[in-house]
Amino acid sequence: MDIVPQLIANSVIAGAIYALITLGFNLIYGTTKFFNLAHGVVAAAGAYAVFALIKVFNLPINILFACAIGMAFAGFLGWALDRIIFVPLRKRKASNMVLMVASLGAFTAIQAIIAIFFTSQFQTLETDSMGSQAYELFGAVITQTQVIIIVCGLVVVVALGLIAKYTLFGKAVSAIRDDEEVARMVGIDTDNIIGKVFFIGSAIAGLAGILIGFDTGIEPTMGMNLLLKGTIASIIGGVGSLYGGFLGAFVLGFAENFGIWKISGEWKDAIAFVVLIIFLLVRPQGIIKR
């Protein structure tokens, strides 16, 4: 069987996952101007919330409702981190480096809490209602969960684009991205808007973690890999750019999967960093400059 169609399918699936992480990451970065390193573990927290509902407590709950709760939990966690940690630091005029270090501390603490409650063992969210039913498309095999991943990636980027262009909330976010001080002077409640951005961006990250849980599985340390891939895709596409991050995610997905065509899969992460270095040297502003 020709392996190229499967490589293309794998690249699109990986790109969609990276896109979900990157979109939330860029959304938060655009309004706060710092790298929120807790973003990856928030995605893991959303996945473990669903795991607790359907596997630990074994509640007779609809799987879509469980996923919605998981996304809401991830969104609330991101919002809480902003309220408890980042808002006080911003009011004290803390530098972006201080904010980034604080987010790293939050990442470490939340990851440890997840490991305490759920152990470090690899788990899966797969259920009878959302399992591994597979389809063949142009010579490539793709599962039901992977189809949902691709659809979710497209729906989220379109939804964020429409919100940014046609809603007052989107215009307020754009104003804060351009100049937070000026936005505050014209009457925009910047702390409230940034809090909502944290909720939305974290909920999107939670969706990515949940979908990964259904596709491959979850573990407490999964947040670090998601954070790295999301950050790399963000830099490739353009830090803070919505559509740039989306494109960067798929560039990274294709580079990784075609890069291991003739070599071991263990080199996938190395390939991602090689692509990052190339962009930093050749086009540091990314594909789309914000």
Side-chain angles (χ1 to χ4, degrees):
M1 183 181 69
D2 190 0
I3 196 174
V4 174
Q6 190 63 54
L7 287 173
I8 294 174
N10 292 345
S11 300
V12 173
I13 294 163
I17 283 292
Y18 297 160
L20 290 172
I21 293 293
T22 307
L23 288 170
F25 182 85
N26 271 358
L27 188 63
I28 293 172
Y29 176 87
T31 55
T32 61
K33 304 301 186 297
F34 84 96
F35 276 40
N36 177 26
L37 300 184
H39 194 67
V41 79
V42 168
Y48 272 96
V50 176
F51 176 77
L53 290 173
I54 64 177
K55 293 292 181 96
V56 177
F57 300 119
N58 199 25
L59 297 178
I61 187 173
N62 181 273
I63 193 66
L64 293 179
F65 185 57
C67 292
I69 293 176
M71 289 180 62
F73 177 79
F76 176 78
L77 179 59
W79 175 85
L81 289 176
D82 179 55
R83 297 291 97 178
I84 296 171
I85 300 175
F86 303 132
V87 168
L89 288 175
R90 287 200 301 270
K91 288 183 177 179
R92 296 177 184 178
K93 305 297 182 181
S95 66
N96 290 343
M97 178 61 71
V98 171
L99 290 167
M100 186 175 71
V101 172
S103 69
L104 178 60
F107 178 102
T108 305
I110 296 171
Q111 180 173 283
I113 292 171
I114 292 174
I116 290 171
F117 280 98
F118 298 100
T119 76
S120 298
Q121 292 183 344
F122 185 83
Q123 309 282 357
T124 179
L125 299 182
E126 184 176 304
T127 62
D128 294 335
S129 59
M130 188 172 177
S132 57
Q133 182 180 352
Y135 310 96
E136 185 173 347
L137 183 65
F138 302 113
V141 177
I142 183 170
T143 66
Q144 179 188 42
T145 302
Q146 291 166 346
V147 172
I148 295 173
I149 288 172
I150 296 170
V151 172
C152 285
L154 294 174
V155 169
V156 168
V157 71
V158 171
L160 288 178
L162 293 175
I163 290 172
K165 188 173 183 179
Y166 295 109
T167 67
L168 290 176
F169 172 74
K171 290 177 172 56
V173 171
S174 296
I176 295 173
R177 285 158 63 100
D178 291 337
D179 194 314
E180 184 178 349
E181 291 297 328
V182 173
R184 188 181 293 111
M185 289 172 61
V186 299
I188 296 175
D189 187 347
T190 56
D191 285 337
N192 181 47
I193 295 297
I194 291 175
K196 292 179 180 178
V197 166
F198 263 92
F199 182 89
I200 295 171
S202 299
I204 295 171
L207 175 61
I210 293 166
L211 292 173
I212 291 173
F214 283 109
D215 185 33
T216 57
I218 57 175
E219 55 186 339
T221 57
M222 64 183 286
M224 179 56 71
N225 184 60
L226 291 176
L227 173 65
L228 291 175
K229 297 301 174 66
T231 304
I232 292 172
S234 175
I235 294 172
I236 291 173
V239 179
S241 170
L242 177 65
Y243 298 112
F246 185 76
L247 290 175
F250 282 92
V251 169
L252 179 60
F254 273 86
E256 282 187 342
N257 284 278
F258 276 87
I260 61 170
W261 185 356
K262 301 295 183 179
I263 60 177
S264 171
E266 296 175 354
W267 288 90
K268 181 179 285 189
D269 290 341
I271 292 170
F273 281 101
V274 169
V275 174
L276 171 63
I277 292 170
I278 291 172
F279 268 87
L280 288 175
L281 293 175
V282 177
R283 191 174 175 81
Q285 71 270 33
I287 298 173
I288 300 177
K289 183 178 180 181
R290 189 176 69 84

